Amino acid sequence: MGKYPDAYIAYLVEFHATRDYFECHELLEEYWKEHPNDGMGDTWVGLIQIAVGQYHERRGNRRGAAKMYESAERKLSDEQLMQLGVDTRSLRAQLQVRREAVESGTSFEDIEFKLWDEELIQLCRQACDIRGLIWGTASPMKDEEIIHRHLRRDRTEVLAAREEALWKKRADRQS
């Protein structure tokens, strides 16, 4: 692993090139859960919440978006964002604008992370090139697959794991 976790670079690429905010959330949540003691937990959660906020806002769930933006603002650490190559002042200003926009009912806009680290920018652009993506692409406002990702995902494994846990819990109570 280099200076930045691969999952973080993947998150940034999804956030700025595909605008698949649900996938952003999935990528970074998996990384966060696998690295609970890296000292960045609140910042990872804050970044996840930004993606979830954008997902909700684009779908028209203004209340959910506002809650996510507010929570992200509280979770994010300026020092850790700087370590992650993010211009904190710009991001915080955009979060405030988005929160106010959802509260007043104005139209959706993508958040753009202003990155200050040229190495990180290059890594993200290289990842985009490999996948044939364009950094800074606007949200696909008519792509139902991306806009409603949570409704279309395969949850077979999650449901099976829940059922297995339920059966185990019942068996433990009976013994």
Side-chain angles (χ1 to χ4, degrees):
M1 179 173 78
K3 185 175 177 181
Y4 300 104
D6 291 341
Y8 174 59
I9 294 168
Y11 166 92
L12 290 172
V13 168
E14 294 294 336
F15 199 96
H16 292 91
T18 68
R19 302 296 180 171
D20 187 342
Y21 298 121
F22 189 85
E23 183 65 15
C24 293
H25 145 266
E26 293 282 296
L27 289 165
L28 212 49
E29 183 176 62
E30 183 177 332
Y31 179 82
W32 163 62
K33 287 179 178 179
E34 290 174 356
H35 300 87
N37 300 317
D38 72 354
M40 299 282 286
D42 280 350
T43 298
W44 296 135
V45 170
L47 292 173
I48 292 165
Q49 289 173 327
I50 292 171
V52 174
Q54 288 273 268
Y55 184 77
H56 283 310
E57 183 182 356
R58 185 172 57 194
R59 294 185 73 245
N61 178 358
R62 294 192 324 256
R63 185 171 176 226
K67 287 172 72 173
M68 286 294 103
Y69 294 148
E70 287 171 24
S71 185
E73 286 177 297
R74 288 190 306 271
K75 292 269 186 201
L76 294 170
S77 157
D78 288 351
E79 181 180 322
Q80 290 180 349
L81 286 172
M82 287 297 291
Q83 290 173 9
L84 292 172
V86 176
D87 180 317
T88 59
R89 196 172 292 149
S90 170
L91 182 57
R92 288 198 182 278
Q94 288 183 75
L95 282 171
Q96 182 176 347
V97 166
R98 294 310 328 135
R99 189 172 38 78
E100 290 170 0
V102 295
E103 289 169 356
S104 67
T106 57
S107 62
F108 170 80
E109 288 184 22
D110 295 305
I111 288 176
E112 300 285 337
F113 285 73
K114 183 177 177 186
L115 304 176
W116 62 263
D117 184 344
E118 286 300 320
E119 176 186 352
L120 178 58
I121 294 167
Q122 278 302 108
L123 289 169
C124 291
R125 291 191 183 275
Q126 287 170 354
C128 284
D129 289 346
I130 289 167
R131 293 181 54 196
L133 301 172
I134 299 170
W135 183 268
T137 299
S139 269
M141 296 304 288
K142 296 188 191 273
D143 186 340
E144 297 291 313
E145 184 65 30
I146 287 179
I147 293 171
H148 303 293
R149 174 78 68 207
H150 78 285
L151 299 174
R152 291 172 165 74
R153 64 188 168 153
D154 180 5
R155 298 190 33 91
T156 307
E157 288 181 30
V158 171
L159 296 174
R162 284 183 185 165
E163 187 172 337
E164 183 179 330
L166 181 61
W167 281 106
K168 184 179 181 330
K169 188 175 180 180
R170 287 178 183 159
D172 289 347
R173 274 192 269 172
Q174 291 177 352
S175 49

